[in-house]
Every structure is written in structure tokens, then in C-alpha cells.
Amino acid sequence: MQTRSLGFPDVLRARLDQRLAPHVAPLNGWVDVLSAERWTPSLDPADGGVGARVLLLLESPGPTASLTGFVSLDNPNATAENLTCLLHLAGLPRRQVAVWNAVPWQMSAGGVVAPVRAQYAEAAPLTRHLLSLLPELRAVVLVGRHAQSAWPHVGSPLPTFACPHPSPQNFHTRRDEAGKALLALLDARRAARTPATGQ
């Protein structure tokens, strides 16, 4: 299983060339509109795009997103690597997944910057619009406490599953967090098999 692959220039160039592939074109076309005001990283064409059945809602783009241009499981950092490994263990294929941030614009180019409460409400309409672009969506995994705090502002009836943040620090200091994260992804995989309930 390859991880951190967007750290390789040839892989990154190929991914950028696929940025407007048909399954992600509606999503990244919208990201281009958002970026005219505040730069927002693109969704990864290696994921499910508009066919995704599970949304992994992270907190906000980390510093590596400014280097690769993507919200991606392949970003060259340990958090993305941990999440990739958890998806693999849960048997949740990437073609069924989309990855987004509760506060989607870049704040962390120079280092980690946590979103604040007012930004949850400001970003909620963007998350609602993203949901409207994902007609096959069946479940949302709320990755980390900021995503979990932001979700009530979205007001969606989709099933949600709380997942601990997969940062190395969190997993190393709280030994049961990785197991909880895996259980959340297993629950999301099961929910992805169910018929749509409306958004």
C-alpha cells in the first residue's frame, strides 16, 4: 500500500493533470470559484468524486495541502498516512470516498492553525453545497473534534460517525483512539451499502 505519494513530483504532476477528470470536474470547478476569494485545496481525483458514498470531513487544510494543492489521503504527512491505513483496514475503497474539510480554505500554510467557532458557521453553507454535489453519499465520518463541532451548523440528516483525529500525537498519547477511528470507518462502510435517505 503506497502512502505519502504526492510527495513525489511525478505523481503530483500526474494528479494535477487529472484534477478536472469527469468524476471530480463538478467539484473542482466549484473549488476554483471558491479559490478566487480564498484559496481552497482541490478534491483528489484518486478518490470517488461525485460517486462517493462516504465523506471524510476533516477539520481544515494542513500545511502540506498548500504544497500539493489537494485535500488528499496521499499528502506527505503522517496524519494522511494514518487515515489511509485505517481505510485499508476497514475495507473502505477510495473509490467510495471523498475528502473535504469542515473549514475548507487554507489557513495553515505556515503551520497548523485550528479553526475557531465562528468559522464553523461561516463554512457550513459550503459543506451543504458540497453535499448537493455528491448524490450517492450515504454517510459522513467526522474526523476530529473540530469537524464534529462544525457539523451541527450544516444541518444534514445524513448518518454521521465520530472519528478521533488520526494525528500521530493523538494516537500515541491516547492508545485507544486508533481503535475508535477504525470502528467509525467500519460503521461508515456498512452505512455506505444502504439506500439513500435524502440530504
Side-chain angles (χ1 to χ4, degrees), residues 56-141:
L56 303 182
L57 189 67
L58 311 182
E59 298 183 347
S60 62
T64 55
S66 64
L67 302 177
T68 66
F70 290 107
V71 181
S72 177
L73 298 166
D74 294 328
N75 273 339
N77 63 64
T79 296
E81 183 173 56
N82 284 346
L83 194 50
T84 298
C85 293
L86 287 165
L87 282 176
H88 179 73
L89 290 171
L92 189 54
R94 285 187 68 171
R95 66 180 180 276
Q96 293 186 8
V97 170
V99 186
W100 186 245
N101 284 288
V103 177
W105 52 84
Q106 175 62 265
M107 303 185 296
S108 305
V112 174
V113 178
V116 298
R117 186 181 303 273
Q119 292 171 322
Y120 303 157
E122 183 183 2
L126 304 181
T127 303
R128 284 195 292 271
H129 184 72
L130 177 72
L131 298 181
S132 75
L133 298 175
L134 301 174
E136 303 301 320
L137 204 62
R138 301 292 181 269
V140 180
V141 179

